[in-house]
Amino acid sequence: MHEVGIMQSVLDLAEREARAAGSAGIREIRLRVGRLTGVVPESLEFAFSILREGTLAEGGRLIVDYLPGAFWCSRCEAEFETEGFGCGCPGCGEFSLDMRRGMEMELVSLEVL
Ligand SMILES: [Zn+2]
C-alpha cells in the first residue's frame, strides 16, 4: 500500500517544519494530490489516522485537494481532463501520452499550534 509510504514522508516533513518553527503541535496538513498518482483517498486517510499517533500531528487533521489529470491532444490542439490513464480525448478519441497534470504530490500548507 503505497499510501503508507507517502503519508510517512508527509508526516516526517510536516514534523520537521513544525519543529523548525518551534511549534508544539500540528493543527492541519493540507496536501495536493493528482488523480494520476493512483493514490486512493480512503487509504491515504487511513494511513494518516494510524501514522499520526505519537507525532506532532496526533490531534491534527488532514485535508487533501485532488486534482484531475490532464493530457494534451495534438489533433484537437487542446487539453482534456481525465480521472485515469488510458482514456482517449473526448473530442476526437485520440489516445494521448502527453501528460500535462495529474502527478502532483505536494504539501500545500501546514497550520501549527
Ligand atoms: Zn482530440
Side-chain angles (χ1 to χ4, degrees):
M1 200 163 102
H2 87 145
E3 285 81 359
V4 172
I6 291 167
M7 206 58 240
Q8 189 64 65
S9 315
V10 167
L11 278 170
D12 286 348
L13 176 64
E15 274 205 294
R16 215 160 41 232
E17 299 269 327
R19 287 216 169 84
S23 156
I26 297 168
R27 186 180 295 151
E28 185 185 293
I29 295 175
R30 191 173 203 112
L31 301 179
R32 184 179 292 146
V33 178
R35 289 281 184 199
L36 302 182
T37 55
V39 164
V40 179
E42 293 75 26
S43 302
L44 199 61
E45 289 284 343
F46 180 71
F48 177 69
S49 69
I50 300 297
L51 295 171
R52 70 178 169 182
E53 289 191 29
T55 73
L56 290 179
E58 190 156 7
R61 61 187 178 136
L62 176 71
I63 295 181
V64 187
D65 299 323
Y66 289 96
L67 306 177
F71 288 88
W72 177 257
C73 175
S74 53
R75 194 186 288 178
C76 299
E77 296 192 329
E79 250 182 31
F80 64 92
E81 291 194 339
T82 168
E83 295 293 306
F85 287 98
C87 303
C89 167
C92 68
E94 183 99 325
F95 185 77
S96 169
L97 288 174
D98 191 355
M99 193 198 303
R100 294 296 164 95
R101 285 191 306 280
M103 293 299 282
E104 297 83 358
M105 177 64 71
E106 352 176 288
L107 182 61
V108 180
S109 67
L110 196 61
E111 213 178 291
V112 295
L113 299 174

